[in-house]
Structures are given as C-alpha cells and as structure tokens.
C-alpha cells in the first residue's frame, strides 16, 4: 500500500492515476453486488456483519439491510438527515458526552461547515458539507489540502472521480469512527480511501472483498486488486482462480478484465485447467473487447485485440484432437502456424513454434489422512446403502477436490459411490461415481466435478454412500486435529453418519484438497 501512497502523496486535487472510469467502477460494483446475492459458499449476505479476521482492533464493518442504488432516499441519506436534525437544539452539545458523539453530529451537517465538496459525475453530483479540522486530523491528503504550503483557499472543491456514496462512507469513518460497507460501492470506497490515504478504511474494504471472494468474482477482483496495488487481495484471488479455474474463466466478469490481467491469467503456470478452457476464455474476452472498441468480432480483429496475449496460450499442450476440432478451425491462426502445429503433433522433426510447448504445472493435490491405522474383521464394516459421514473445519481457505475411501477386505471388487460435501445441510457438491478396489488396504480416490471452496472456521460435512463388496477395511485411531501441510483440520462426529463412521474410526479416511503449500505461499 505504501507504494501507492508515495505516488499520490500531495496530488489531492487530481484523480488517482488509474485505468478505469467512474462508470466502469460503478458497473464493477454492481456486478460484485449481483455476485454476492447468489453466493453459495456461506458468505455474508444482506443484513450481516462482516468479521475482520486479520486484526481484532478493526472497527465493526456492517452491511446494511438493503444496499441503496443511489444516495437519494437511501438508509444512509435518512441517517444523514437525522444527524443534521440533532443540532437544531441550541443546547445540543450538552447531551453529547464524548468527542466522538459531538463530531458525529457534524457529519454531513451545514452547521459550522467551512468547506463543501461537489462529488460525482457532472449531472449526478451531490454537494456535501464538511469541516476542515476533522478531515485534516484523519487524512494527510486533507491536511495538505487545507493547511499545507499549497493550501487550497476555495470554499468548494469538485471531486468528479468519486461516487457520492463512497465519499460519504469515507466521511462517516472520519467523523464517527464507523465503517459501513455495501456490496455495490465497496470498490468505489476502496478507491476513495486510497485517494485520500486513509489506510484503515482501505484495509477494511480489502478484508470485505476477501471475505466475499468466490470463483465467480475472482477475475474481476484480481483486476481491481492490481489496479489498487493490493498484493494480499491479489494472492487470495490467485488461490481461487488456480483451484477453480474453469468456473472463474467461464464467469461473466472474466470478459471485463483489463488486458494486463488477461495476460497474467494466460501466462499463469499454476492455473489448474485444460488448455482448451483457456483458449475458450481468451476467445470470449477478445469478442467482448471487439465490442468495447466497436469493431466486428472477426477472427482477424480478435487476434488484433489479443495481440501478444495470444502467444501465452499453450496450444501444443492440447491433444491433437482438441487442437484439430478447436483452434485449427477458428481462423485465428495463420496457415503457417496451423501447419507447424500439426507437424509438431505428428512429425519426428518438429518445427520451432512461437507458442509454449510445455503443459502448465497446475496444482498438486494435498491429502489430509485422519487415521493412524486401518484394519478389517469378519462380519464388520458392511455397507447396504447406509451413510458414512464426518464433519470438519479448516483454519485456512482450501478447495476440496475429493475423498479417499477404503475398499474391499475380501478381494478385488467394484464399488459405486455417492459423495457429497455440505454446509449447514446445503449440498455444495456431489458426485455419483465408481472406483475399483484391488483388495488391499490402500485408499482409493474419488473426485468432485470441480474443486469446492471451503472457508476457515466453518464446519462442513463430508459424506459417502457405497455399494459393492460388503466387508471393507476401516480406519482406527482417528485424530480430532490434524496438520496437513500448513492447514489445520478439525474433525467432529456427524449426526448424518448412520454406518458407524466417526472421529475415532470408520470410512472417509482422506480429504483431498488444494491449498497453500508453505507459510510463504
């Protein structure tokens, strides 16, 4: 964050150097709001309080019961009106026992106001009264503006690059020590907090965005975190994009990212998806970019807008069939490129290519094994359609890929299995699949269609219903707490378990997941 502050030091009268218009920020905010409303991972919804996990000294950050679409007629506006009315009593100071209460009474109040801000786009402005002393004690930019060597003596200052609601959120913090964030204005609030160097408010915005992060908004938030120079938020976005790449790249927000972010995604070594998914995502972005430039989305125009990003796609890492049925027929490649790529697949003397030839590394699955030993006994651990289930929580965000299961103790056998991952009874993922047990005590892995985001400090339920050879191996000496890499898993018994599985013993010996591999990651 300090790099940003150095760049904007005393340039308080100019908009922050950015690649994004106010209209684009508004559209991005609205898209974030839409995404939050369909969040399926137990994220805070309307009317909830967003907890600050990183610092207990943070002020409460609340989300109002209904997010206003404009300042006029909103709950915020009503509150401002109420605060103004407080000072109509000529003896109002007598009923305010603290400095905080008296300052709060001045919030958006014409009484004693010595500076006014005209905030918003021309034609959609709001005139906001303020008090120089309070602003200067909360922001070094405001201090320079009013009391520095180049102090501005104007009584009214235009701020066209900031949304009125976001500016009022800033003032509310400076006057009242309160932070009230809304999903449709949190990005604009982060912008104004950065512009006026109010790091505590900026940190609260970043925490709010991190808490609200899912695969559906990760690409858009990655683009914004690059713009706002927030490396921690960028890292959280990358964790989600790497693990849930297919969902992230198919999200509506992906086509709205900037060209630099597109290049960083296409060049990502650890992104965990097939190359065909990245090709499709790049084509979708190129079509949207052609529309933004008001040109036809022809193959030549799409290639032009992609520019050097096209050469980050690892076309040789596709199978021959994938390439022949996809890129080779779309008109994006030159005839020479197409021929060279076919020769790369088929010829012993391969031509030099302008596209990277090595497949991406992707992510390496990690395993949490919860039993110290396993065993089998006659007439014990049968299936017959009953459910084996266990509850667990983690201390860091991970992505559950699947489960490891025990198989037959009486020789080789085929199994059909239904696996589920739930949160508060709601199914987050399920899969009906099969696996072959070779009769050994090894575990056999079954997977969900897509990795499932699991957030820290919440309990989830892992379940499996098997059908196959009745007698099976089972785990013993289970632990209630296990460290897998740098992630700590906590286990407890599930009321849904009807086949004997619990913390001490039973089925579902392993949780397979993507997660951080070291404390430095």
């Amino acid at each position: 964050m300090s790099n940003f502050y150095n760049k904007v030091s005393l340039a308080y009268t100019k908009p922050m150097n950015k690649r994004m218009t106010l209209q684009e920020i508004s559209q991005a905010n609205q898209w974030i709001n839409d995404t939050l409303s369909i969040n399926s991972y137990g994220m805070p919804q309307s009317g909830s309080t967003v907890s600050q996990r990183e610092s207990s000294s943070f002020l409460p950050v609340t989300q109002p019961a209904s997010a206003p679409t404009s300042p006029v007629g909103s709950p915020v506006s009503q509150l401002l009106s109420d605060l103004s009315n407080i000072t109509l009593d000529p003896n109002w100071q007598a009923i305010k026992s603290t400095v905080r209460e008296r300052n709060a009474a001045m919030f958006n109040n014409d009484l004693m106001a010595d500076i006014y801000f005209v905030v918003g786009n021309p034609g959609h402005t709001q005139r906001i009264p303020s008090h120089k002393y309070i602003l200067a004690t909360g922001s070094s930019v405001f201090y320079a503006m009013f009391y520095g060597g180049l102090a501005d003596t104007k009584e009214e200052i235009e701020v066209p690059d900031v949304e009125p609601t976001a500016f009022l959120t800033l003032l509310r913090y400076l006057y009242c020590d309160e932070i009230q964030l809304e999903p449709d204005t949190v990005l604009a609030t982060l912008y104004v907090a950065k512009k006026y160097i109010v790091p505590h408010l900026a940190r609260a915005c970043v925490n709010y965005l991190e808490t609200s992060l899912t695969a559906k908004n990760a690409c858009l938030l990655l683009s914004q975190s690059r713009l706002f120079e927030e490396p921690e938020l960028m890292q959280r976005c990358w964790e989600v994009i790497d693990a849930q790449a297919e969902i992230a790249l198919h999200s509506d927000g992906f086509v709205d990212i900037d060209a630099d972010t597109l290049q960083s995604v296409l060049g990502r070594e650890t992104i965990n998806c097939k190359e065909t998914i990245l090709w499709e995502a790049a084509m979708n972005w190129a079509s949207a970019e052609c529309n933004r430039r008001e040109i036809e989305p022809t193959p030549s125009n799409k290639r032009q807008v992609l520019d050097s990003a096209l050469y980050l796609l690892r076309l040789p890492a596709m199978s021959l069939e994938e390439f022949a049925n996809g890129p080779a027929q779309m008109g994006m490649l030159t005839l020479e490129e197409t021929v060279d790529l076919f020769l790369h697949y088929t010829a012993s003397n391969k031509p030099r290519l302008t596209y990277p030839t090595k497949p991406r590394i992707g992510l390496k699955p990690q395993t949490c094994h919860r039993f110290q030993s396993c065993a089998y006994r006659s007439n014990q651990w049968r299936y017959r359609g009953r459910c084996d289930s266990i509850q667990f929580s983690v201390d860091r965000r991970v992505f559950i890929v699947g489960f490891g299961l025990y198989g037959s103790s009486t020789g080789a056998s085929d199994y059909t299995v239904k696996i589920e991952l739930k949160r508060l009874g709601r199914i987050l993922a399920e899969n009906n699949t099969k696996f072959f047990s070779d009769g050994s005590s090894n575990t056999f892995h079954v997977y969900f269609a897509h990795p499932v985001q699991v957030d820290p400090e919440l309990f989830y339920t892992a379940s499996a219903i098997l059908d196959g050879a009745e007698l099976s191996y089972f785990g013993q000496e289970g632990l209630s707490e296990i460290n897998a890499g740098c992630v700590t898993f906590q286990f407890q018994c599930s009321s849904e378990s009807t086949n004997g599985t619990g913390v001490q013993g039973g089925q579902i010996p392993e949780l397979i997941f993507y997660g951080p591999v070291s404390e430095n990651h």
Side-chain angles (χ1 to χ4, degrees), residues 87-107:
T87 56
L88 293 179
D89 182 349
N91 195 32
W92 64 270
Q93 297 91 337
I95 60 175
K96 305 295 180 188
S97 60
T98 66
V99 172
R100 179 181 177 277
E101 289 179 312
R102 292 190 288 275
N103 281 346
M106 294 292 98
F107 173 40

Side-chain angles (χ1 to χ4, degrees), residues 278-355:
L278 285 158
W279 171 268
E280 292 170 4
M283 295 306 103
N284 291 336
W285 183 92
S287 294
E289 181 66 12
C290 285
N291 291 333
R292 286 189 285 268
R293 298 189 188 185
E294 298 182 347
I295 59 177
E296 287 293 321
T298 62
S300 60
N301 284 341
K302 287 196 286 187
R303 179 165 183 142
Q304 178 184 344
V305 299
L306 281 171
D307 197 25
S308 59
L310 180 66
Y311 299 105
L312 297 173
L313 291 163
R314 306 189 182 190
L315 300 184
M318 296 181 184
S319 69
L320 174 58
E321 183 179 2
E322 289 171 338
F323 174 74
N325 292 324
Q329 299 187 42
M330 295 185 64
M332 289 285 295
L333 307 177
T334 66
L335 179 59
E336 181 181 359
E337 287 174 329
T338 304
V339 171
D340 283 349
L341 281 162
F342 273 119
L343 289 174
H344 174 82
Y345 286 111
T346 57
S348 56
N349 186 18
K350 301 183 186 299
R352 184 181 298 273
L353 300 177
T354 53
Y355 298 91

